[in-house]
Amino acid sequence: MDLILSAIEILMRWDVALALLAGSVGGVLIGAIPGVGPAVAIAILLPATFSMDPIVGLTVLLGIYGSSMYGGAIPAILINTPGTAVNALTTYDGYPMTARGEPRRALSLAYSASFFGGVFSVICLILFAPLLAKVAPMFGSREIFLAALLGLILVVVAHRGQALIAGALACLGIFLNTIGMEPVKYTQRYTFDQDFLGSGVNLIVVVLGLFALSQAFVLLMDEDEKVHITKLRGGMSQGLRELARHPRVTAVSASFGVLMGMIPGVGEFTAQFMSYTYAQKSSKRPQDFGKGSSEGLIAAETANNAVPAAAMVPLLALGIPGEALTAMMLSVFYVHNVVPGPGLFQNDMDFVVALYLALLILNVLVLGFLLFATRALVQVVKIPNRFLGVCILTLSFVGVYSLRNSATDCLIAAGFGLFGFILKRLSLPAVPIILGMVLGGIMEVKLRSGMARVKEPLDFIDRPISFILFIIIILVLASHILRVWRDRKELKEAEWQNKTASTSFGKLMSRRKNSFLKDRGKEVRGRHSKLLRRLKGLF
């Protein structure tokens, strides 16, 4: 109880309250605008948060992270265009509801499901905080190295069908992190006698380039489209009552979100599809899914909003981000000399609980805001793409220049922006680069400190947690290799069946053609013989 009171005392400040309000409302607005998304907004705001207190800056970023999915449901339901990438599954059942004249019901149901998922995950993590405080100190340098390596591997294998390119991009991120001053002996690496590379490649510059500038280029090149929005009539509270009719789907989906959020590299997409699949298989009306099923909409929105709070667990307990957004937040910790990891849970547990309480308050603020402001909020969907692109481009360059007052950083950001634009056009992931930069630095430092006590290779995994992490890494790699082998085997079988079918079809057509020609020849010869007999009769 004393811990919660200390956390409440941290939050009882006017600047924290203002940050909560700005983050929650701003996140909803950002999520409701298709083509922007929380990654772009957080990337732009990062330089500004460096001058704030840690709790204030993180509260703003958490507000955008946690509330953007609420706003992303609005265009997904009304115009079949997800506001954020994780709202793509919302379109499956949300837009069909709008098409049959139930937009208000779909929105209120999405808000209610999102609220339950967010609150459920925060409560679970507050209850488990004492347990995490006991487990976190068991992680030493070797364990954190293996956990970071596991997170990087999970990020790579999560890109099914693109694992090779994702691994290459992750390696690129690790290489970018090695440029500059080496962290132990302070020697120059890969600087090529260039002064601007002496301080390394700044993570925020790369983030702004890959996410903000690349998205600005995409918006500037896309044409503006006229958007027709269905008018909303009536109140927005009926979803709360309808949510209570599906307690099983709601609870299971929220649980999936919490579990998947705590695993680095997994995140919202896996949680959504697992909960959606479960809801469809356990439903009494599975044929309605994809056609406006309330259970499908509940499963998608509950799962994705349960992830943000859970994703803070590996970040706070081990200092390991599981995705690009939490990797960006990690830089805020480092700027203020607040080091996430076991020490944070031992020495600043009230700070950790304050962040979770901020997420809890955030969900309440967002739900109240949406219940009364949705009709006005839907108009942001109509903002032209090119206007958004110019705004993002301007704010991004201002943010990059404000970091070190360096025009070189602006050029580097522009280069990464162009690279990110190419990745987007080729449908390739940019997230592995960021995680490679962040996790690569963690792995290098922890590996060097851990190797000081290692005499033989097996000494690296001679402790229970390190051994368990090593076994998990082996199992993940083995399962991925097995899955790739099965996919290739199925592909070869499908190609062989298609080839056999086409060959059989060709033979069949050839036989039919020969038979037809043979019959046709007999018919023609018969006619000729009849004609010859008639001619002989005439003469």
Side-chain angles (χ1 to χ4, degrees):
M1 190 64 185
D2 293 338
L3 190 62
I4 295 178
L5 291 175
S6 297
I8 293 174
E9 186 178 353
I10 293 174
L11 295 176
M12 294 293 290
R13 291 167 41 183
W14 69 269
D15 51 353
V16 177
L18 186 62
L20 265 174
L21 184 62
S24 57
V25 175
V28 172
L29 290 170
I30 292 298
I33 304 173
V36 181
V40 176
I42 290 176
I44 292 173
L45 286 174
L46 270 179
T49 57
F50 292 161
S51 60
M52 304 176 184
D53 288 343
I55 186 65
V56 178
L58 286 170
T59 299
V60 172
L61 300 183
L62 277 176
I64 294 173
Y65 181 27
S67 62
S68 61
M69 299 173 197
Y70 282 89
I74 295 174
I77 290 171
L78 296 182
I79 61 173
N80 201 26
T81 303
T84 68
V86 297
N87 292 110
L89 202 59
T90 307
T91 61
Y92 285 18
D93 294 288
Y95 184 70
M97 285 187 181
T98 300
R100 68 181 184 221
E102 298 177 339
R104 180 172 61 88
R105 177 191 170 211
L107 286 173
S108 62
L109 195 58
Y111 297 159
S112 304
S114 299
F115 176 75
F116 180 85
V119 171
F120 179 86
S121 63
V122 173
I123 292 175
C124 286
L125 296 171
I126 289 176
L127 294 176
F128 288 132
L131 178 61
L132 290 172
K134 294 179 180 179
V135 174
M138 298 180 185
F139 281 77
S141 296
R142 286 172 275 178
E143 286 80 7
I144 293 178
F145 168 79
L146 290 171
L149 179 60
L150 175 61
L152 198 60
I153 291 171
L154 287 171
V155 169
V156 171
V157 301
H159 293 85
R160 189 168 183 176
Q162 295 181 322
L164 186 62
I165 188 65
L169 292 172
C171 291
L172 173 62
I174 295 173
F175 170 73
L176 291 174
N177 182 72
T178 62
I179 296 174
M181 196 75 73
E182 185 263 330
V184 177
K185 297 183 179 180
Y186 300 104
T187 55
Q188 297 284 337
R189 296 187 301 191
Y190 305 114
T191 56
F192 306 105
D193 295 328
Q194 300 296 319
D195 293 336
F196 71 94
L197 291 176
S199 57
V201 179
N202 191 287
L203 174 65
I204 308 305
V205 174
V206 179
V207 166
L208 281 164
L210 286 177
F211 290 95
L213 289 176
S214 64
Q215 188 61 31
F217 296 154
V218 171
L219 292 172
L220 288 170
M221 294 194 68
D222 289 344
E223 295 183 359
D224 295 328
E225 298 180 1
K226 292 184 178 180
V227 178
H228 175 71
I229 300 175
T230 306
K231 292 185 178 180
L232 302 176
R233 298 182 177 86
M236 300 294 296
S237 60
Q238 76 175 81
L240 293 170
R241 296 189 296 272
E242 189 171 356
L243 188 71
R245 299 176 197 155
H246 305 283
R248 175 181 49 79
V249 173
T250 307
V252 172
S253 300
S255 301
F256 274 130
V258 173
L259 293 174
M260 295 300 105
M262 289 191 291
I263 302 174
V266 179
E268 294 91 348
F269 291 106
T270 305
Q272 275 185 310
F273 281 102
M274 289 180 69
S275 59
Y276 192 86
T277 303
Y278 168 80
Q280 187 174 18
K281 289 183 177 180
S282 61
S283 175
K284 295 179 180 178
R285 297 184 59 84
Q287 68 275 12
D288 291 343
F289 280 69
K291 301 177 182 177
S293 170
S294 57
E295 291 178 286
L297 185 58
I298 289 170
E301 285 296 304
T302 304
N304 65 22
N305 276 270
V307 170
M312 298 298 291
V313 171
L315 177 69
L316 297 174
L318 303 176
I320 297 172
E323 54 169 353
L325 298 180
T326 48
M328 296 179 199
M329 294 180 196
L330 186 63
S331 62
V332 180
F333 283 97
Y334 287 154
V335 165
H336 294 285
N337 294 320
V338 178
V339 181
L344 187 65
F345 273 75
Q346 286 181 308
N347 305 322
D348 295 304
M349 193 61 190
D350 53 348
F351 180 81
V352 175
V353 176
L355 288 177
Y356 283 134
L357 289 178
L359 277 171
L360 186 63
I361 298 169
L362 163 76
N363 282 280
V364 176
L365 288 175
V366 171
L367 182 65
F369 173 70
L370 286 172
L371 290 178
F372 296 101
T374 296
R375 291 184 185 83
L377 189 62
V378 296
Q379 301 305 316
V380 302
V381 177
K382 297 182 179 180
I383 298 177
N385 289 339
R386 290 176 179 173
F387 175 76
L388 286 174
V390 171
C391 292
I392 293 172
L393 197 67
T394 305
L395 292 173
S396 299
F397 278 121
V398 169
V400 171
Y401 188 78
S402 66
L403 288 171
R404 297 184 290 195
N405 296 330
S406 171
T408 305
D409 285 345
C410 294
L411 293 175
I412 294 173
F416 278 105
L418 181 60
F419 182 56
F421 174 76
I422 295 171
L423 292 178
K424 286 180 183 292
R425 288 303 191 201
L426 296 176
S427 299
L428 297 177
V431 173
I433 300 176
I434 302 301
L435 292 177
M437 291 187 68
V438 175
L439 295 177
I442 295 171
M443 290 165 60
E444 180 182 5
V445 173
K446 297 302 178 183
L447 179 62
R448 288 193 171 192
S449 59
M451 289 298 291
R453 299 179 182 179
V454 173
K455 296 181 180 179
E456 297 180 1
L458 292 178
D459 291 344
F460 204 85
I461 55 172
D462 61 353
R463 294 193 290 198
I465 295 180
S466 61
F467 181 75
I468 292 171
L469 289 171
F470 177 74
I471 294 299
I472 293 174
I473 290 172
I474 297 299
L475 291 175
V476 169
L477 290 174
S479 63
H480 177 69
I481 293 171
L482 182 61
R483 187 175 64 184
V484 171
W485 179 76
R486 285 179 177 174
D487 290 344
R488 290 187 176 181
K489 185 178 178 181
E490 292 176 358
L491 182 61
K492 288 182 179 179
E493 288 179 355
E495 290 177 350
W496 182 81
Q497 290 175 357
N498 290 336
K499 184 178 180 180
T500 304
S502 62
T503 303
S504 301
F505 180 76
K507 289 180 179 178
L508 178 62
M509 292 303 294
S510 178
R511 286 198 300 267
R512 288 185 177 180
K513 181 180 179 181
N514 293 335
S515 176
F516 172 78
L517 292 174
K518 186 177 180 180
D519 294 339
R520 185 67 174 170
K522 288 180 180 179
E523 182 181 351
V524 172
R525 285 194 298 271
R527 288 179 181 176
H528 286 173
S529 61
K530 287 180 181 180
L531 182 60
L532 288 172
R533 284 196 299 269
R534 288 179 183 178
L535 289 173
K536 287 180 181 179
L538 289 174
F539 294 101

